[in-house]
Amino acid sequence: MAREVIMPKLGLTMEEGVINKWFVREGERVEKGDPLFEVATDKVNMEVESPASGVVLKILYPEGATVPITEVVAYIGEEGEEVPVPGKKAPGEQPEAGERVAGEQVMTQKTETGTETAKERIKASPLARKLAQEYGIDLATITGTGPGGRIVKEDVERAKRALEEAKKQEIPVVEEAPVTEEVKGKVVPLSRMRQIIAQRMVESARTKPHFFVFQEILAEELVKMRERLLPLVEKETGLRVSYTDILVKVVAKALERYPLLYASFTEEGIVFHEHVNIGVAVALEDGLIVPVVKEVERKSIAQITRELHDLVERAKAGKLTPEEISGGTFTISNLGMFGVDAFTAIINPPESAILACGAIKKKPVFDGKDIVPLAVMELVLSCDHRIVDGAVAAQFMQFLKTLLEEPFALLL
């Protein structure tokens, strides 16, 4: 009997998903665990694997279709096996996109010239797939050197080494799709990610009464702390500790003293969360995503470095799970690596605050005797005034300033 492939529920709040792309075509054989299609939810893109081995008998929804959870999207079985047909249309009536009907269903995409194109499935050995998933590398970015262009273990290892070289760069580069002549003067439809970002940010700005607290800190000790931590963390993890890694730990220490800053507002009252779960905003090509480091108060800077590096790499590869981008209680957005002095950020619902971090720059500072060049950093805290008052926000920023300017205070 043909096996149903359904739209999975990938998160507690997920009600529907968009089929971004199919990795297979009707008539192709797949093995259990092979990727079938990619789903875009309101939080993340994920690949859905085949629940069984067999032939793809029928694909019911085209790319771009929005499908409710648990809805059947395809059938897998033995070649020639019949698939269920719920009913037929009246003579001359055209089937809706993605409807399960008798007859052929167009699953190819058409270009402006009418030429049909199909998405080829990525050829890779099982070991290569396993390693790529482990390393957080998108197979689509790898050129296969095996028979017939098949991606093998050596190709994945080579891609991993290339990523390790790239990560040593201090300034990240966010690639943006070029504005071509074909789109100038035209309306370009929003991506699913951009739609969700727009919806959530408008909702946050409309429902949360934001206020902002600006704080300048002397970052001399923070710079020295990172320099001392670099060889220690690299020896333990093989990774270079970043300022963001350190900020995650230091901010968590400050939040423990001021729990209102990582609480949430509800109509029933204020929810005080058990753990400090810090989200870190990561820029992607078509938007941004906020992976979450859970229970930061229990983790060392080395653990945070390792976990955050893994989350960021898989965020860029589109490999995060819904659990890894949910449950945040506070967010850090750092644009310092782009040379930004200061900025204000919109709170990420349902959180009550977000910290925006600017660049560390040398500036002339009066030290009580002379004007000397010192490293300075601008921090801006955005707060939900329904929960947090100005005095509490100011005290939090004062304590955070103390921790960053006197790192030994972390031991208190």
Side-chain angles (χ1 to χ4, degrees):
M1 183 176 178
R3 178 74 178 269
E4 294 180 343
V5 179
I6 66 169
M7 173 63 70
K9 186 177 178 67
L10 300 174
L12 293 176
T13 61
M14 179 178 170
E15 298 296 333
E16 60 185 23
V18 176
I19 298 178
N20 269 353
K21 56 185 174 182
W22 284 97
F23 301 114
V24 297
R25 287 174 288 182
E26 289 184 8
E28 285 189 343
R29 181 166 185 85
V30 296
E31 300 299 324
K32 183 176 181 180
D34 283 352
L36 290 181
F37 61 97
E38 181 183 83
V39 176
T41 72
D42 61 346
K43 293 182 179 294
V44 70
N45 294 350
M46 286 194 67
E47 290 183 1
V48 177
E49 298 180 349
S50 175
S53 299
V55 174
V56 180
L57 301 173
K58 193 70 178 174
I59 293 177
L60 305 175
Y61 287 88
E63 292 179 352
T66 300
V67 185
I69 58 172
T70 72
E71 183 77 8
V72 179
V73 298
Y75 285 97
I76 294 175
E78 297 304 319
E79 189 171 357
E81 190 174 354
E82 292 186 0
V83 297
V85 178
K88 295 183 179 182
K89 288 282 184 178
E93 189 176 355
Q94 295 298 318
E96 297 293 333
E99 189 173 0
R100 287 165 280 175
V101 298
E104 292 298 321
Q105 174 125 23
V106 178
M107 284 309 302
T108 54
Q109 294 178 314
K110 290 190 177 181
T111 65
E112 291 183 0
T113 61
T115 305
E116 293 185 348
T117 61
K119 188 77 174 177
E120 271 192 38
R121 185 174 159 229
I122 298 173
K123 298 177 182 178
S125 69
L127 179 57
R129 287 186 184 278
K130 180 180 178 182
L131 287 175
Q133 184 176 12
E134 180 181 334
Y135 298 154
I137 300 175
D138 187 353
L139 286 171
T141 64
I142 301 176
T143 301
T145 60
R150 185 181 179 88
I151 298 172
V152 294
K153 173 189 174 183
E154 290 73 17
D155 300 323
V156 180
E157 296 287 1
R158 191 180 305 109
K160 178 175 181 285
R161 288 193 294 271
L163 281 175
E164 288 174 341
E165 286 300 317
K167 76 186 178 186
K168 295 178 181 179
Q169 300 296 324
E170 290 298 324
I171 300 178
V173 177
V174 181
E175 296 292 340
E176 292 189 1
V179 179
T180 61
E181 292 297 327
E182 288 77 10
V183 301
K184 287 184 178 179
K186 296 182 180 180
V187 176
V188 179
L190 296 174
S191 67
R192 177 69 172 174
M193 176 174 286
R194 180 52 60 188
Q195 289 175 356
I196 296 302
I197 291 172
Q199 177 185 338
R200 288 173 64 84
M201 293 301 98
V202 168
E203 176 189 353
S204 178
R206 179 175 58 83
T207 61
K208 294 180 182 290
H210 286 55
F211 75 93
F212 309 98
V213 179
F214 295 75
Q215 180 73 68
E216 181 179 85
I217 69 163
L218 294 180
E220 290 289 318
E221 293 302 321
L222 176 60
V223 172
K224 292 177 183 177
M225 180 195 294
R226 180 174 181 265
E227 290 174 348
R228 292 167 182 161
L229 284 172
L230 273 170
L232 300 175
V233 174
E234 191 163 9
K235 182 179 179 180
E236 183 172 340
T237 67
L239 303 170
R240 291 172 62 85
V241 63
S242 69
Y243 286 112
T244 301
D245 301 331
I246 298 171
L247 283 167
V248 168
K249 181 62 180 178
V250 178
V251 168
K253 180 74 172 180
L255 288 171
E256 285 188 283
R257 177 171 291 195
Y258 297 94
L260 272 176
L261 270 297
Y262 69 101
S264 297
F265 178 89
T266 69
E267 294 301 326
E268 290 74 30
I270 298 174
V271 178
F272 287 91
H273 299 290
E274 185 176 357
H275 297 293
V276 179
N277 302 332
I278 296 184
V280 177
V282 177
L284 303 178
E285 181 179 336
D286 57 348
L288 59 85
I289 197 166
V290 185
V292 179
V293 181
K294 306 289 178 66
E295 301 185 20
V296 179
E297 74 277 9
R298 298 182 177 181
K299 295 176 179 175
S300 66
I301 289 179
Q303 288 175 304
I304 293 168
T305 298
R306 184 186 293 111
E307 185 173 338
L308 188 53
H309 175 270
D310 176 63
L311 289 170
V312 170
E313 290 299 310
R314 288 191 294 110
K316 293 177 178 178
K319 301 295 183 181
L320 292 176
T321 66
E323 289 74 18
E324 291 169 331
I325 57 172
S326 59
T329 57
F330 188 91
T331 296
I332 294 175
S333 181
N334 187 1
L335 293 181
M337 65 283 291
F338 296 106
V340 174
D341 289 327
F343 66 103
T344 59
I346 297 176
I347 299 167
N348 187 25
E351 298 166 18
S352 62
I354 181 172
L355 184 69
C357 307
I360 297 175
K361 294 184 176 181
K362 288 283 187 179
K363 293 184 180 181
V365 178
F366 181 64
D367 66 356
K369 294 182 179 180
D370 302 301
I371 296 178
V372 294
L374 295 175
V376 174
M377 183 183 191
E378 295 282 349
L379 301 177
V380 182
L381 181 69
S382 306
C383 299
D384 182 347
H385 217 327
R386 297 175 301 176
I387 300 179
V388 184
D389 293 328
V392 175
Q395 290 167 12
F396 169 81
M397 291 295 273
Q398 271 189 331
F399 184 53
L400 181 59
K401 176 181 172 71
T402 299
L403 294 178
L404 291 171
E405 293 184 348
E406 299 289 345
F408 282 111
L410 287 167
L411 302 175
L412 299 178

